[in-house]
Amino acid sequence: MNPDEGVGRRIRFLADHNFRDAIVTGLRHKHPLIDIITARDVDIQLLPDPQVLAYAKEHGRLLLTHDKRTMPGYLDELLRALPAGEHGPGGFVVPQRMATGKAINDLLLIWEASEPEEWRNRLTFLPL
């Protein structure tokens, strides 16, 4: 098991390079204890999407993205390549046109009411 993962721990998010800053800022403002980093924060904004997913997996983070077109396929490829019994990252596809407040509220609900293990190995499309 990755040292950054663990049953009963809070969700930790990684927002990819094109994820709206207003959502990240709103999440941080509404709940200062939320653990959310951006691709820019960890200097991976220029990496291809498969490597961003690999980073999320390695660091026990759930990905936040607006990329509904290619990200699901990249996650499927990553999951197929994993050894038996190993888990991949998961994440959330937030529609680009989703209202900022709605996106913030949905992600806060997920963060407050669930555990990381519930979301790994899949991308979930918002709204819930």
Side-chain angles (χ1 to χ4, degrees):
M1 179 183 283
N2 183 318
D4 289 333
E5 293 181 275
V7 175
R9 297 200 49 203
R10 286 282 190 153
I11 290 174
R12 298 160 19 118
F13 292 113
L14 167 65
D16 73 4
H17 71 281
N18 68 348
F19 198 73
R20 289 196 333 244
D21 288 332
I23 297 172
V24 173
T25 301
L27 287 167
R28 289 174 174 162
H29 177 73
K30 281 195 125 181
H31 207 304
L33 295 179
I34 198 165
D35 187 342
I36 182 170
I37 59 172
T38 68
R40 285 181 304 283
D41 293 337
V42 292
D43 200 25
I44 61 169
Q45 69 273 14
L46 298 179
L47 292 181
D49 288 342
Q51 291 180 6
V52 173
L53 281 166
Y55 181 95
K57 176 192 177 309
E58 180 180 336
H59 295 277
R61 293 190 174 272
L62 296 176
L63 184 70
L64 299 177
T65 186
H66 296 300
D67 184 358
K68 66 181 179 188
R69 189 174 58 81
T70 61
M71 198 60 81
Y74 290 136
L75 179 62
D76 285 343
E77 287 176 21
L78 175 68
L79 295 175
R80 282 195 307 271
L82 291 176
E86 192 170 324
H87 298 287
F92 300 93
V93 177
V94 178
Q96 190 68 260
R97 294 182 181 206
M98 186 174 189
T100 301
K102 172 73 171 144
I104 291 166
N105 288 337
D106 280 6
L107 291 168
L108 277 176
L109 177 63
I110 290 164
W111 182 77
E112 291 173 339
S114 62
E115 295 182 359
E117 295 77 22
E118 297 175 50
W119 305 102
R120 65 182 172 201
N121 296 335
R122 66 186 171 130
L123 285 177
T124 300
F125 289 75
L126 296 186
L128 296 176

